[in-house]
Amino acid sequence: MHLRAQALVLSVRQHGEHNAVVRCLTREAGLIAGYVRGGRSRAMRPILQPANLVMGEWRARTEDQLAGLTVELVHSRAPLYSEPLATAALEWVTALTAVVLPESQPYPRLYGALDAMLGAIEAAPAARGWAVALARYEDLLLAELGYGVERPPAVSTESGWPEILAALALTGREIEAHLLTDRRAEALAARARLIERLKRAVA
C-alpha cells in the first residue's frame, strides 16, 4: 500500500513517548490512519494540529497493516486555536469526522465540504460566517452515512441566529441518535462546548 495525497488532519493519538497515530481525511481514499514516528515531538506537533492541511505519504507492506506516515505542512490553521469559539468548532468537526467515518472509503463531497467549512472558520472566526456551513456539513455527513434528516435544516447566509441554532439542534439530535450512540461521549462533549459558546456569543 502506497498513497501520497493532500489530507486534512483529524485526530492525533499519542503512541509511546514520542510517536503518534494520526487520522486524516483525503479526497481520494477517505479516512486513513497512519503511524508517525516522532509525531509528538516539538517539531511535529504544530504540523499535526487537527484542521491543518498536509501532504501525507502512507506506506505499508500489506493492506491490513497500519501504514507508516510522513507529512509535510501545506497550510496551517494553528492560529485559529487562539480564538475560543473557533477552537470549539475545529475540535468538534475534526473529532466528529474522525470518529464516524469508516476507513478507506472515499467521500469526496465530505472532503470538499469539510475543507470549505474550515476555510469559512478561518475567514470569519466570530461565527456569523461559518455557523450555516456547520449546519450544512453536519446534514451532509448524516446523508452520506445513510441517515438523511427527514426535513433538513433550511438555513442560508441570510438566516438569523434563531433559525441557525434550531438547525444545529436538529442535526445534533440526529448525530447523537445515529452516529454517536456508544463510546463517543468525548465527541459529544466537544459539540456541547461549541453550542454553549455559540449561544453566549450571540446572546
Short mmCIF file of all heavy atoms in Angstrom, two decimals, residues 101 106-110 139-148:
data_model
loop_
_atom_site.label_atom_id
_atom_site.label_comp_id
_atom_site.label_asym_id
_atom_site.label_seq_id
_atom_site.Cartn_x
_atom_site.Cartn_y
_atom_site.Cartn_z
N LEU A 101 -16.53 8.21 10.42
CA LEU A 101 -16.31 7.70 9.07
C LEU A 101 -15.61 6.34 9.09
O LEU A 101 -14.65 6.15 9.85
CB LEU A 101 -15.47 8.68 8.25
CG LEU A 101 -16.14 9.97 7.78
CD1 LEU A 101 -15.22 10.72 6.83
CD2 LEU A 101 -17.48 9.69 7.10
N PRO A 106 -13.80 6.48 0.09
CA PRO A 106 -13.77 7.88 -0.32
C PRO A 106 -15.12 8.57 -0.16
O PRO A 106 -16.17 8.00 -0.46
CB PRO A 106 -13.37 7.81 -1.81
CG PRO A 106 -13.73 6.42 -2.24
CD PRO A 106 -13.60 5.55 -1.03
N TYR A 107 -15.06 9.77 0.37
CA TYR A 107 -16.23 10.64 0.48
C TYR A 107 -15.82 12.02 -0.04
O TYR A 107 -15.63 12.96 0.73
CB TYR A 107 -16.69 10.77 1.93
CG TYR A 107 -17.29 9.51 2.51
CD1 TYR A 107 -16.50 8.61 3.22
CD2 TYR A 107 -18.65 9.24 2.36
CE1 TYR A 107 -17.06 7.45 3.75
CE2 TYR A 107 -19.22 8.08 2.89
CZ TYR A 107 -18.41 7.19 3.59
OH TYR A 107 -18.97 6.05 4.13
N PRO A 108 -15.69 12.15 -1.37
CA PRO A 108 -15.17 13.42 -1.91
C PRO A 108 -16.02 14.63 -1.56
O PRO A 108 -15.49 15.72 -1.36
CB PRO A 108 -15.11 13.16 -3.42
CG PRO A 108 -15.98 11.97 -3.66
CD PRO A 108 -15.93 11.15 -2.42
N ARG A 109 -17.35 14.45 -1.50
CA ARG A 109 -18.20 15.59 -1.15
C ARG A 109 -17.94 16.03 0.29
O ARG A 109 -17.91 17.23 0.58
CB ARG A 109 -19.67 15.22 -1.32
CG ARG A 109 -20.12 15.03 -2.75
CD ARG A 109 -21.59 14.63 -2.81
NE ARG A 109 -22.45 15.72 -2.36
CZ ARG A 109 -23.66 15.54 -1.85
NH1 ARG A 109 -24.16 14.31 -1.71
NH2 ARG A 109 -24.39 16.57 -1.48
N LEU A 110 -17.76 15.06 1.18
CA LEU A 110 -17.46 15.41 2.57
C LEU A 110 -16.11 16.09 2.69
O LEU A 110 -15.95 17.04 3.46
CB LEU A 110 -17.48 14.16 3.46
CG LEU A 110 -18.84 13.71 3.98
CD1 LEU A 110 -18.68 12.45 4.82
CD2 LEU A 110 -19.50 14.81 4.80
N ASP A 139 -25.43 18.07 8.26
CA ASP A 139 -26.51 17.48 7.49
C ASP A 139 -25.95 16.59 6.37
O ASP A 139 -26.44 15.48 6.13
CB ASP A 139 -27.38 18.59 6.91
CG ASP A 139 -28.59 18.05 6.17
OD1 ASP A 139 -29.28 17.17 6.71
OD2 ASP A 139 -28.85 18.50 5.04
N LEU A 140 -24.91 17.06 5.69
CA LEU A 140 -24.29 16.27 4.62
C LEU A 140 -23.66 15.00 5.18
O LEU A 140 -23.77 13.93 4.57
CB LEU A 140 -23.24 17.12 3.90
CG LEU A 140 -22.44 16.39 2.79
CD1 LEU A 140 -23.36 15.93 1.67
CD2 LEU A 140 -21.34 17.30 2.26
N LEU A 141 -22.99 15.11 6.32
CA LEU A 141 -22.37 13.94 6.94
C LEU A 141 -23.43 12.87 7.24
O LEU A 141 -23.23 11.68 6.94
CB LEU A 141 -21.64 14.35 8.21
CG LEU A 141 -20.88 13.26 8.96
CD1 LEU A 141 -19.74 12.72 8.12
CD2 LEU A 141 -20.35 13.79 10.28
N LEU A 142 -24.54 13.29 7.81
CA LEU A 142 -25.63 12.35 8.08
C LEU A 142 -26.11 11.70 6.78
O LEU A 142 -26.31 10.48 6.72
CB LEU A 142 -26.78 13.07 8.77
CG LEU A 142 -26.59 13.39 10.25
CD1 LEU A 142 -27.52 14.52 10.68
CD2 LEU A 142 -26.84 12.15 11.10
N ALA A 143 -26.29 12.50 5.75
CA ALA A 143 -26.79 11.97 4.47
C ALA A 143 -25.80 11.00 3.85
O ALA A 143 -26.19 9.93 3.34
CB ALA A 143 -27.09 13.12 3.51
N GLU A 144 -24.52 11.33 3.88
CA GLU A 144 -23.51 10.47 3.26
C GLU A 144 -23.41 9.12 3.98
O GLU A 144 -23.03 8.12 3.37
CB GLU A 144 -22.15 11.17 3.28
CG GLU A 144 -22.04 12.35 2.35
CD GLU A 144 -21.86 11.93 0.90
OE1 GLU A 144 -20.81 11.37 0.56
OE2 GLU A 144 -22.78 12.16 0.10
N LEU A 145 -23.75 9.09 5.26
CA LEU A 145 -23.68 7.85 6.02
C LEU A 145 -25.04 7.14 6.09
O LEU A 145 -25.20 6.17 6.83
CB LEU A 145 -23.15 8.13 7.43
CG LEU A 145 -21.69 8.59 7.47
CD1 LEU A 145 -21.27 8.93 8.89
CD2 LEU A 145 -20.75 7.53 6.89
N GLY A 146 -26.00 7.64 5.33
CA GLY A 146 -27.27 6.95 5.21
C GLY A 146 -28.32 7.34 6.23
O GLY A 146 -29.31 6.62 6.42
N TYR A 147 -28.15 8.50 6.87
CA TYR A 147 -29.11 8.95 7.87
C TYR A 147 -29.61 10.35 7.55
O TYR A 147 -29.56 11.25 8.38
CB TYR A 147 -28.49 8.95 9.26
CG TYR A 147 -28.02 7.59 9.72
CD1 TYR A 147 -26.67 7.26 9.70
CD2 TYR A 147 -28.92 6.63 10.18
CE1 TYR A 147 -26.24 6.00 10.11
CE2 TYR A 147 -28.50 5.38 10.60
CZ TYR A 147 -27.15 5.09 10.56
OH TYR A 147 -26.72 3.85 10.96
N GLY A 148 -30.08 10.54 6.35
CA GLY A 148 -30.55 11.86 5.96
C GLY A 148 -31.67 12.35 6.86
O GLY A 148 -32.57 11.59 7.22
#
